Amino acid sequence: MSAEPKSRARRGVDRLDILDAAFNLFAEVGEISFSIRKLAATIGVDPMTILHHFGSKDELLRAIADYALRSVEMPSATKNWRADLKAVANAYRLLAHRHPRVFPLHFRYNATGPADHISSEIVYCALRRAGLPDASAAGLGLAFYAFVLGFALAEAEGLLKAIGPAEEAELNNLDPKMYHATQDLIPALKNLDPNAVFNDSIEVFISGVADLAKLKPRLVPIPECAAKCA
């Protein structure tokens, strides 16, 4: 008797098996080369089996993003809102370092799933503890993620690395009268430390939150957050 075709060999595969394989494939090939058909061939199921578990390719990609986030240890909330924002920012930066091909998916969804909601709760609690009213906490919570995700992606793409000889030569060839500040910074750009830049950037964001809380103070008590303090 001939063997059953590979695409029909594992109909009993469960959702977690599919998600694990999908994450590994996506992390290896990136979005351009990723497809439901290629994933199905990899794990030996029919493409419709995958869609049965996830509904659509978009929902599968959202699940892959959340799966990746669960590979990074998310901090617990503390009584120090500044430390909480730094800890969440560092977690997402670590995610970008570990899974650079998967990381861009986090720009696509307001939240990727349970792991993302855990981090959001910590951030929103921190902004409320800083003294911001809810309208400002909601907007700055999203701005926080826009900043952190954007920084991490820029770093992954090489924007935050120290300039090399070619870039230095290009800057030196600029008109010194028009670009004196740029040329003055060449030594610093040659020795750029991404970790220092990231830490300085987070400090600037946090200082801005503290200043805004003084200008627009919270007028109602802060409810207890679901993200329990450690």
Side-chain angles (χ1 to χ4, degrees), residues 10 13 38 55 57 64 70 105 120 122 125-126 136 138 145 152 161 166 170 182-183 191 201 210 217 221 225:
R10 295 185 59 198
V13 67
K38 184 177 291 186
K57 181 179 179 181
I64 289 172
R70 282 186 272 134
L105 289 176
S120 296
I122 294 172
C125 284
S136 296
Y145 283 104
K161 66 181 181 181
E170 181 177 338
T182 299
Q183 292 182 338
N191 295 284
S201 300
C225 287

Side-chain angles (χ1 to χ4, degrees), residues 76-213:
S76 299
T78 71
K79 295 180 180 179
N80 185 330
W81 67 267
R82 292 175 172 84
D84 287 354
L85 291 180
K86 291 179 183 178
V88 172
N90 282 318
Y92 278 87
R93 185 180 180 221
L94 178 59
L95 175 65
H97 288 179
R98 284 186 179 175
H99 307 299
R101 289 191 174 95
V102 177
F103 187 73
L105 289 176
H106 285 270
F107 286 88
R108 192 169 303 175
Y109 308 100
N110 180 268
T112 61
D116 219 355
H117 286 304
I118 290 172
S119 75
S120 296
E121 179 68 10
I122 294 172
V123 169
Y124 290 139
C125 284
L127 294 173
R128 280 178 150 191
R129 290 194 188 104
L132 291 176
D134 284 352
S136 296
L140 280 179
L142 295 176
F144 171 82
Y145 283 104
F147 159 68
V148 171
L149 296 179
F151 185 103
L153 182 61
E155 184 179 15
E157 294 294 326
L159 181 61
L160 274 298
K161 66 181 181 181
I163 63 171
E167 292 92 347
E168 181 182 1
E170 181 177 338
L171 296 182
N172 277 321
N173 285 332
L174 295 173
D175 184 338
K177 292 183 179 180
M178 293 182 62
Y179 300 99
H180 62 89
T182 299
Q183 292 182 338
D184 286 346
L185 291 178
I186 288 175
L189 292 170
K190 289 171 61 178
N191 295 284
L192 200 66
D193 178 0
N195 293 323
V197 175
F198 183 74
N199 291 333
D200 287 347
S201 300
I202 290 295
E203 288 294 343
V204 168
F205 185 93
I206 289 173
S207 295
V209 168
D211 288 343
L212 185 61

Side-chain angles (χ1 to χ4, degrees), residues 18-29 34 64 67 102:
I18 294 172
L19 182 55
D20 184 66
F23 167 76
N24 289 329
L25 179 62
F26 198 104
E28 178 184 353
V29 304
F34 179 87
I64 289 172
Y67 185 94
V102 177

Side-chain angles (χ1 to χ4, degrees), residues 56-69:
S56 68
K57 181 179 179 181
D58 190 64
E59 279 303 308
L60 175 60
L61 296 183
R62 184 170 179 258
I64 289 172
D66 205 62
Y67 185 94
L69 185 57

